[in-house]
Amino acid sequence: MTESTEKVVWMKCTVCGYTEAVPEWVLDELALGKRGDGYVMACPKCDEKMIEK
């Protein structure tokens, strides 16, 4: 059995406070800004901005 070494990034919504661990490769696919600016995505609960926790 092999262990998963997939890196996750904890994201937190700036409005409702929802937190979620998101695989880094998913965030790289969603990247709209320049690398190094930090990850940003839409909250699945309220559709507002989520940022790195």
Side-chain angles (χ1 to χ4, degrees), residues 11-20 43 45-46 49-50 53:
M11 303 294 289
K12 183 174 183 177
C13 180
T14 58
V15 175
C16 72
Y18 175 76
T19 58
E20 181 176 357
C43 178
K45 298 288 182 182
C46 70
K49 183 168 74 170
M50 291 183 84
K53 185 173 178 183

Side-chain angles (χ1 to χ4, degrees), residues 28-39:
D28 286 338
E29 291 288 323
L30 296 173
L32 300 173
K34 298 176 184 171
R35 294 231 183 244
D37 288 346
Y39 293 113

